[in-house]
Amino acid sequence: MKLMSKAVLFVLSVFTAAVCGGCGAAQSEQPQQTELVQEAQQEKPVFTDSMQEDLSDQIKVNAQFVYPQSCKNGEGVQAALGENLFWDRQDEISGILLQDRQITNEFANDYGTQKRKVYETADRTILSIYDNNYLNYATDQSTYINNVLHFDSRFDDYNGDKYLNKTDLDFMPQDEAWAKVKAVLDKLGVEISDSITCYVMEHSVMEEEEGAAIARAEAEDTKIPKKKEQWTDMDDCYYFKTRTSWEEYPVLPVIMGEGFDEDNVSVIYDRNGIQLLQINGYYPLEKENEITIQSPEAAVWKLKEYLENVISSDLYEIQKITLCQKIMQMDAENHTAEIRPVWECSVLVKSGEPSDDGYIHKIYFDAETLKVAI
């Protein structure tokens, strides 16, 4: 009986202690749990390189994550517009690109909402520099080349694949040609991505594609491209496409939208040198301060939420998520710009029909807040 009394007393003591102690623990441990949650929220994410997962019947991920290695622990950069804009270096740039060409006309005027400086030469080469840091240099020869290359695969006239079957042309290896182009870009102070597409433009293929373009224009009753009198191996050239960058961040220009060509640097190079140089928005950047950015995995889930709000039966495959610096707006007159790091999400959209190859849709999220970035 005494043994049972001691046992009962022990159980009651433990129960009482547990109840009373639990009350104290609930009061004392709650702040500790809150602190742990806050610490977890403040902990910088570790980024992975890819993700493969079916998120729903309509949405799947087969994505590569691309970002500067300096951002691997969630440390990003808020950038600001730097110095050395094209507009401030007009004479220097004309010297680099026009070299010893005879300038026959030089003028400045308004072009839409922009200001521009134009140089024209005796051999009909034109250099235009815009105050929003766009640049266009084109010889007469470049017009014929542009008429026979259509690299937007969303349209029926796409023929870029016909120029991707060969690596080198007889007049110069591709690598050597690009090295010469890169040397000019370095003089201009333009930083570009390591990702480069090169269309190897053989004169025989260009002649065929010119005929096809003229026939298409006649059938559609649209403007007929100017026909070149003769195509020879002297017309063989490389057509390089790449994009501007800064410290491993791709830099996205102000003008954006569906179908916008983000490879905003185009160069035609032949045996006579550069025939075309188009830079559709270059922005010299500098570091303003460090910020914490959301992980690419977080961008995936935000993208899932975004796509689920689209009323559609389309199928979505998230293929690539890239950390970029996006120029949201630029005040050319005051040389200022609003710049934000963004996650660029490349999504293949397909109807589900066997014959539908789909198209790439780009969606942008602020890398710090994951709000949709326009």
Side-chain angles (χ1 to χ4, degrees), residues 55-56 59 297-311 316 318 363 365 370-372:
L55 305 183
S56 70
I59 305 170
E297 290 92 340
V300 166
W301 293 107
K302 190 67 176 180
L303 183 57
K304 176 179 181 289
E305 177 184 318
Y306 177 93
L307 294 173
E308 286 176 339
N309 286 326
V310 177
I311 301 174
Y316 304 101
I318 303 169
I363 303 164
F365 296 103
L370 289 186
K371 292 181 179 179
V372 176

PDB file of all heavy atoms in Angstrom, residues 55-56 59 297-311 316 318 363 365 370-372:
ATOM      1  N   LEU A  55       5.326  20.334 -61.608  1.00  0.00           N
ATOM      2  CA  LEU A  55       4.628  21.111 -60.601  1.00  0.00           C
ATOM      3  C   LEU A  55       3.120  20.893 -60.654  1.00  0.00           C
ATOM      4  O   LEU A  55       2.435  21.059 -59.648  1.00  0.00           O
ATOM      5  CB  LEU A  55       4.941  22.599 -60.773  1.00  0.00           C
ATOM      6  CG  LEU A  55       6.426  22.994 -60.761  1.00  0.00           C
ATOM      7  CD1 LEU A  55       6.567  24.502 -60.858  1.00  0.00           C
ATOM      8  CD2 LEU A  55       7.111  22.469 -59.493  1.00  0.00           C
ATOM      9  N   SER A  56       2.607  20.548 -61.837  1.00  0.00           N
ATOM     10  CA  SER A  56       1.189  20.272 -62.011  1.00  0.00           C
ATOM     11  C   SER A  56       1.018  19.569 -63.357  1.00  0.00           C
ATOM     12  O   SER A  56       1.999  19.313 -64.060  1.00  0.00           O
ATOM     13  CB  SER A  56       0.366  21.571 -61.973  1.00  0.00           C
ATOM     14  OG  SER A  56       0.618  22.335 -63.129  1.00  0.00           O
ATOM     15  N   ILE A  59       2.216  22.388 -65.750  1.00  0.00           N
ATOM     16  CA  ILE A  59       3.480  23.097 -65.540  1.00  0.00           C
ATOM     17  C   ILE A  59       4.569  22.119 -65.100  1.00  0.00           C
ATOM     18  O   ILE A  59       4.402  21.400 -64.109  1.00  0.00           O
ATOM     19  CB  ILE A  59       3.329  24.193 -64.458  1.00  0.00           C
ATOM     20  CG1 ILE A  59       2.178  25.142 -64.816  1.00  0.00           C
ATOM     21  CG2 ILE A  59       4.627  24.970 -64.302  1.00  0.00           C
ATOM     22  CD1 ILE A  59       1.812  26.095 -63.694  1.00  0.00           C
ATOM     23  N   GLU A 297      14.974  28.946 -57.088  1.00  0.00           N
ATOM     24  CA  GLU A 297      13.885  28.041 -56.719  1.00  0.00           C
ATOM     25  C   GLU A 297      12.654  28.830 -56.271  1.00  0.00           C
ATOM     26  O   GLU A 297      11.517  28.484 -56.614  1.00  0.00           O
ATOM     27  CB  GLU A 297      14.329  27.099 -55.596  1.00  0.00           C
ATOM     28  CG  GLU A 297      15.349  26.070 -56.012  1.00  0.00           C
ATOM     29  CD  GLU A 297      16.774  26.549 -55.789  1.00  0.00           C
ATOM     30  OE1 GLU A 297      16.979  27.785 -55.679  1.00  0.00           O
ATOM     31  OE2 GLU A 297      17.691  25.695 -55.742  1.00  0.00           O
ATOM     32  N   ALA A 298      12.884  29.910 -55.527  1.00  0.00           N
ATOM     33  CA  ALA A 298      11.767  30.759 -55.104  1.00  0.00           C
ATOM     34  C   ALA A 298      11.093  31.398 -56.312  1.00  0.00           C
ATOM     35  O   ALA A 298       9.866  31.536 -56.354  1.00  0.00           O
ATOM     36  CB  ALA A 298      12.264  31.831 -54.140  1.00  0.00           C
ATOM     37  N   ALA A 299      11.898  31.757 -57.305  1.00  0.00           N
ATOM     38  CA  ALA A 299      11.335  32.320 -58.539  1.00  0.00           C
ATOM     39  C   ALA A 299      10.482  31.288 -59.269  1.00  0.00           C
ATOM     40  O   ALA A 299       9.461  31.633 -59.868  1.00  0.00           O
ATOM     41  CB  ALA A 299      12.458  32.823 -59.439  1.00  0.00           C
ATOM     42  N   VAL A 300      10.880  30.022 -59.209  1.00  0.00           N
ATOM     43  CA  VAL A 300      10.094  28.957 -59.840  1.00  0.00           C
ATOM     44  C   VAL A 300       8.705  28.886 -59.228  1.00  0.00           C
ATOM     45  O   VAL A 300       7.690  28.812 -59.938  1.00  0.00           O
ATOM     46  CB  VAL A 300      10.807  27.590 -59.710  1.00  0.00           C
ATOM     47  CG1 VAL A 300       9.842  26.456 -60.049  1.00  0.00           C
ATOM     48  CG2 VAL A 300      12.018  27.531 -60.618  1.00  0.00           C
ATOM     49  N   TRP A 301       8.623  28.899 -57.909  1.00  0.00           N
ATOM     50  CA  TRP A 301       7.320  28.786 -57.257  1.00  0.00           C
ATOM     51  C   TRP A 301       6.474  30.042 -57.480  1.00  0.00           C
ATOM     52  O   TRP A 301       5.251  29.964 -57.590  1.00  0.00           O
ATOM     53  CB  TRP A 301       7.508  28.506 -55.768  1.00  0.00           C
ATOM     54  CG  TRP A 301       8.109  27.155 -55.541  1.00  0.00           C
ATOM     55  CD1 TRP A 301       9.383  26.860 -55.149  1.00  0.00           C
ATOM     56  CD2 TRP A 301       7.471  25.885 -55.760  1.00  0.00           C
ATOM     57  NE1 TRP A 301       9.574  25.508 -55.101  1.00  0.00           N
ATOM     58  CE2 TRP A 301       8.423  24.877 -55.470  1.00  0.00           C
ATOM     59  CE3 TRP A 301       6.190  25.509 -56.169  1.00  0.00           C
ATOM     60  CZ2 TRP A 301       8.140  23.525 -55.581  1.00  0.00           C
ATOM     61  CZ3 TRP A 301       5.903  24.164 -56.277  1.00  0.00           C
ATOM     62  CH2 TRP A 301       6.874  23.184 -55.981  1.00  0.00           C
ATOM     63  N   LYS A 302       7.137  31.187 -57.558  1.00  0.00           N
ATOM     64  CA  LYS A 302       6.407  32.408 -57.883  1.00  0.00           C
ATOM     65  C   LYS A 302       5.882  32.334 -59.313  1.00  0.00           C
ATOM     66  O   LYS A 302       4.753  32.759 -59.608  1.00  0.00           O
ATOM     67  CB  LYS A 302       7.329  33.622 -57.727  1.00  0.00           C
ATOM     68  CG  LYS A 302       6.600  34.958 -57.813  1.00  0.00           C
ATOM     69  CD  LYS A 302       5.680  35.149 -56.632  1.00  0.00           C
ATOM     70  CE  LYS A 302       5.012  36.519 -56.654  1.00  0.00           C
ATOM     71  NZ  LYS A 302       4.107  36.706 -55.504  1.00  0.00           N
ATOM     72  N   LEU A 303       6.685  31.760 -60.194  1.00  0.00           N
ATOM     73  CA  LEU A 303       6.276  31.594 -61.581  1.00  0.00           C
ATOM     74  C   LEU A 303       5.107  30.630 -61.693  1.00  0.00           C
ATOM     75  O   LEU A 303       4.186  30.837 -62.498  1.00  0.00           O
ATOM     76  CB  LEU A 303       7.464  31.106 -62.405  1.00  0.00           C
ATOM     77  CG  LEU A 303       7.256  30.937 -63.911  1.00  0.00           C
ATOM     78  CD1 LEU A 303       6.798  32.238 -64.554  1.00  0.00           C
ATOM     79  CD2 LEU A 303       8.550  30.456 -64.548  1.00  0.00           C
ATOM     80  N   LYS A 304       5.115  29.570 -60.898  1.00  0.00           N
ATOM     81  CA  LYS A 304       3.991  28.623 -60.882  1.00  0.00           C
ATOM     82  C   LYS A 304       2.699  29.349 -60.507  1.00  0.00           C
ATOM     83  O   LYS A 304       1.662  29.181 -61.162  1.00  0.00           O
ATOM     84  CB  LYS A 304       4.267  27.500 -59.886  1.00  0.00           C
ATOM     85  CG  LYS A 304       3.113  26.504 -59.713  1.00  0.00           C
ATOM     86  CD  LYS A 304       3.482  25.411 -58.725  1.00  0.00           C
ATOM     87  CE  LYS A 304       2.352  24.387 -58.568  1.00  0.00           C
ATOM     88  NZ  LYS A 304       1.196  24.941 -57.849  1.00  0.00           N
ATOM     89  N   GLU A 305       2.775  30.167 -59.470  1.00  0.00           N
ATOM     90  CA  GLU A 305       1.612  30.937 -59.037  1.00  0.00           C
ATOM     91  C   GLU A 305       1.135  31.871 -60.156  1.00  0.00           C
ATOM     92  O   GLU A 305      -0.064  32.010 -60.409  1.00  0.00           O
ATOM     93  CB  GLU A 305       1.994  31.747 -57.791  1.00  0.00           C
ATOM     94  CG  GLU A 305       0.912  32.652 -57.245  1.00  0.00           C
ATOM     95  CD  GLU A 305       1.417  33.486 -56.074  1.00  0.00           C
ATOM     96  OE1 GLU A 305       2.150  32.935 -55.221  1.00  0.00           O
ATOM     97  OE2 GLU A 305       1.090  34.684 -56.036  1.00  0.00           O
ATOM     98  N   TYR A 306       2.092  32.486 -60.843  1.00  0.00           N
ATOM     99  CA  TYR A 306       1.770  33.409 -61.935  1.00  0.00           C
ATOM    100  C   TYR A 306       1.061  32.671 -63.068  1.00  0.00           C
ATOM    101  O   TYR A 306       0.034  33.124 -63.577  1.00  0.00           O
ATOM    102  CB  TYR A 306       3.068  34.053 -62.429  1.00  0.00           C
ATOM    103  CG  TYR A 306       2.918  34.983 -63.602  1.00  0.00           C
ATOM    104  CD1 TYR A 306       2.737  36.346 -63.415  1.00  0.00           C
ATOM    105  CD2 TYR A 306       2.980  34.497 -64.917  1.00  0.00           C
ATOM    106  CE1 TYR A 306       2.610  37.206 -64.494  1.00  0.00           C
ATOM    107  CE2 TYR A 306       2.852  35.347 -65.998  1.00  0.00           C
ATOM    108  CZ  TYR A 306       2.674  36.703 -65.787  1.00  0.00           C
ATOM    109  OH  TYR A 306       2.549  37.541 -66.865  1.00  0.00           O
ATOM    110  N   LEU A 307       1.592  31.518 -63.473  1.00  0.00           N
ATOM    111  CA  LEU A 307       1.033  30.776 -64.592  1.00  0.00           C
ATOM    112  C   LEU A 307      -0.332  30.186 -64.267  1.00  0.00           C
ATOM    113  O   LEU A 307      -1.195  30.055 -65.141  1.00  0.00           O
ATOM    114  CB  LEU A 307       2.002  29.673 -65.025  1.00  0.00           C
ATOM    115  CG  LEU A 307       3.337  30.145 -65.626  1.00  0.00           C
ATOM    116  CD1 LEU A 307       4.268  28.969 -65.854  1.00  0.00           C
ATOM    117  CD2 LEU A 307       3.096  30.915 -66.934  1.00  0.00           C
ATOM    118  N   GLU A 308      -0.532  29.812 -63.014  1.00  0.00           N
ATOM    119  CA  GLU A 308      -1.820  29.245 -62.622  1.00  0.00           C
ATOM    120  C   GLU A 308      -2.942  30.276 -62.671  1.00  0.00           C
ATOM    121  O   GLU A 308      -4.115  29.925 -62.703  1.00  0.00           O
ATOM    122  CB  GLU A 308      -1.716  28.629 -61.227  1.00  0.00           C
ATOM    123  CG  GLU A 308      -0.948  27.315 -61.222  1.00  0.00           C
ATOM    124  CD  GLU A 308      -0.756  26.742 -59.828  1.00  0.00           C
ATOM    125  OE1 GLU A 308      -0.848  27.514 -58.846  1.00  0.00           O
ATOM    126  OE2 GLU A 308      -0.503  25.525 -59.725  1.00  0.00           O
ATOM    127  N   ASN A 309      -2.584  31.554 -62.685  1.00  0.00           N
ATOM    128  CA  ASN A 309      -3.587  32.609 -62.789  1.00  0.00           C
ATOM    129  C   ASN A 309      -3.925  32.942 -64.236  1.00  0.00           C
ATOM    130  O   ASN A 309      -4.789  33.791 -64.494  1.00  0.00           O
ATOM    131  CB  ASN A 309      -3.100  33.876 -62.080  1.00  0.00           C
ATOM    132  CG  ASN A 309      -3.150  33.734 -60.566  1.00  0.00           C
ATOM    133  OD1 ASN A 309      -4.038  33.077 -60.035  1.00  0.00           O
ATOM    134  ND2 ASN A 309      -2.198  34.335 -59.874  1.00  0.00           N
ATOM    135  N   VAL A 310      -3.229  32.295 -65.173  1.00  0.00           N
ATOM    136  CA  VAL A 310      -3.522  32.493 -66.591  1.00  0.00           C
ATOM    137  C   VAL A 310      -4.598  31.485 -67.004  1.00  0.00           C
ATOM    138  O   VAL A 310      -4.428  30.278 -66.821  1.00  0.00           O
ATOM    139  CB  VAL A 310      -2.261  32.291 -67.457  1.00  0.00           C
ATOM    140  CG1 VAL A 310      -2.612  32.435 -68.937  1.00  0.00           C
ATOM    141  CG2 VAL A 310      -1.182  33.283 -67.058  1.00  0.00           C
ATOM    142  N   ILE A 311      -5.700  31.999 -67.538  1.00  0.00           N
ATOM    143  CA  ILE A 311      -6.779  31.109 -67.964  1.00  0.00           C
ATOM    144  C   ILE A 311      -6.410  30.551 -69.332  1.00  0.00           C
ATOM    145  O   ILE A 311      -6.556  31.216 -70.365  1.00  0.00           O
ATOM    146  CB  ILE A 311      -8.123  31.862 -68.025  1.00  0.00           C
ATOM    147  CG1 ILE A 311      -8.460  32.439 -66.644  1.00  0.00           C
ATOM    148  CG2 ILE A 311      -9.240  30.930 -68.499  1.00  0.00           C
ATOM    149  CD1 ILE A 311      -9.697  33.310 -66.634  1.00  0.00           C
ATOM    150  N   TYR A 316       3.124  24.363 -70.036  1.00  0.00           N
ATOM    151  CA  TYR A 316       4.268  25.231 -69.775  1.00  0.00           C
ATOM    152  C   TYR A 316       5.468  24.402 -69.314  1.00  0.00           C
ATOM    153  O   TYR A 316       5.345  23.569 -68.414  1.00  0.00           O
ATOM    154  CB  TYR A 316       3.930  26.262 -68.695  1.00  0.00           C
ATOM    155  CG  TYR A 316       2.716  27.108 -69.004  1.00  0.00           C
ATOM    156  CD1 TYR A 316       1.482  26.831 -68.416  1.00  0.00           C
ATOM    157  CD2 TYR A 316       2.803  28.178 -69.890  1.00  0.00           C
ATOM    158  CE1 TYR A 316       0.368  27.596 -68.690  1.00  0.00           C
ATOM    159  CE2 TYR A 316       1.689  28.960 -70.171  1.00  0.00           C
ATOM    160  CZ  TYR A 316       0.479  28.670 -69.570  1.00  0.00           C
ATOM    161  OH  TYR A 316      -0.626  29.433 -69.833  1.00  0.00           O
ATOM    162  N   ILE A 318       9.184  25.302 -67.880  1.00  0.00           N
ATOM    163  CA  ILE A 318      10.157  26.323 -67.453  1.00  0.00           C
ATOM    164  C   ILE A 318      11.544  25.800 -67.813  1.00  0.00           C
ATOM    165  O   ILE A 318      11.988  24.779 -67.291  1.00  0.00           O
ATOM    166  CB  ILE A 318      10.045  26.582 -65.936  1.00  0.00           C
ATOM    167  CG1 ILE A 318       8.615  27.004 -65.581  1.00  0.00           C
ATOM    168  CG2 ILE A 318      11.050  27.642 -65.495  1.00  0.00           C
ATOM    169  CD1 ILE A 318       8.321  27.019 -64.097  1.00  0.00           C
ATOM    170  N   ILE A 363       9.174  35.943 -68.756  1.00  0.00           N
ATOM    171  CA  ILE A 363       8.491  36.573 -67.631  1.00  0.00           C
ATOM    172  C   ILE A 363       9.563  37.023 -66.645  1.00  0.00           C
ATOM    173  O   ILE A 363      10.530  36.300 -66.402  1.00  0.00           O
ATOM    174  CB  ILE A 363       7.509  35.597 -66.964  1.00  0.00           C
ATOM    175  CG1 ILE A 363       6.489  35.094 -67.995  1.00  0.00           C
ATOM    176  CG2 ILE A 363       6.772  36.260 -65.792  1.00  0.00           C
ATOM    177  CD1 ILE A 363       5.724  33.872 -67.559  1.00  0.00           C
ATOM    178  N   PHE A 365      10.737  38.728 -62.839  1.00  0.00           N
ATOM    179  CA  PHE A 365      10.426  39.018 -61.446  1.00  0.00           C
ATOM    180  C   PHE A 365      11.581  39.780 -60.808  1.00  0.00           C
ATOM    181  O   PHE A 365      12.754  39.445 -61.039  1.00  0.00           O
ATOM    182  CB  PHE A 365      10.186  37.725 -60.651  1.00  0.00           C
ATOM    183  CG  PHE A 365       8.996  36.936 -61.114  1.00  0.00           C
ATOM    184  CD1 PHE A 365       9.163  35.793 -61.885  1.00  0.00           C
ATOM    185  CD2 PHE A 365       7.713  37.333 -60.789  1.00  0.00           C
ATOM    186  CE1 PHE A 365       8.077  35.061 -62.322  1.00  0.00           C
ATOM    187  CE2 PHE A 365       6.606  36.600 -61.220  1.00  0.00           C
ATOM    188  CZ  PHE A 365       6.793  35.466 -61.989  1.00  0.00           C
ATOM    189  N   LEU A 370      10.484  39.530 -55.724  1.00  0.00           N
ATOM    190  CA  LEU A 370       9.716  38.593 -56.549  1.00  0.00           C
ATOM    191  C   LEU A 370       8.394  39.193 -57.039  1.00  0.00           C
ATOM    192  O   LEU A 370       7.483  38.471 -57.416  1.00  0.00           O
ATOM    193  CB  LEU A 370       9.453  37.280 -55.811  1.00  0.00           C
ATOM    194  CG  LEU A 370      10.664  36.378 -55.603  1.00  0.00           C
ATOM    195  CD1 LEU A 370      10.248  35.054 -54.994  1.00  0.00           C
ATOM    196  CD2 LEU A 370      11.409  36.123 -56.923  1.00  0.00           C
ATOM    197  N   LYS A 371       8.318  40.516 -57.072  1.00  0.00           N
ATOM    198  CA  LYS A 371       7.189  41.160 -57.723  1.00  0.00           C
ATOM    199  C   LYS A 371       7.417  41.121 -59.234  1.00  0.00           C
ATOM    200  O   LYS A 371       8.563  41.141 -59.698  1.00  0.00           O
ATOM    201  CB  LYS A 371       7.047  42.604 -57.251  1.00  0.00           C
ATOM    202  CG  LYS A 371       6.626  42.730 -55.799  1.00  0.00           C
ATOM    203  CD  LYS A 371       6.472  44.200 -55.405  1.00  0.00           C
ATOM    204  CE  LYS A 371       6.015  44.330 -53.960  1.00  0.00           C
ATOM    205  NZ  LYS A 371       5.884  45.764 -53.562  1.00  0.00           N
ATOM    206  N   VAL A 372       6.330  41.076 -60.000  1.00  0.00           N
ATOM    207  CA  VAL A 372       6.445  41.080 -61.457  1.00  0.00           C
ATOM    208  C   VAL A 372       7.123  42.375 -61.891  1.00  0.00           C
ATOM    209  O   VAL A 372       6.756  43.463 -61.449  1.00  0.00           O
ATOM    210  CB  VAL A 372       5.070  40.955 -62.130  1.00  0.00           C
ATOM    211  CG1 VAL A 372       5.202  41.070 -63.651  1.00  0.00           C
ATOM    212  CG2 VAL A 372       4.431  39.612 -61.777  1.00  0.00           C
TER     213      VAL A 372
END
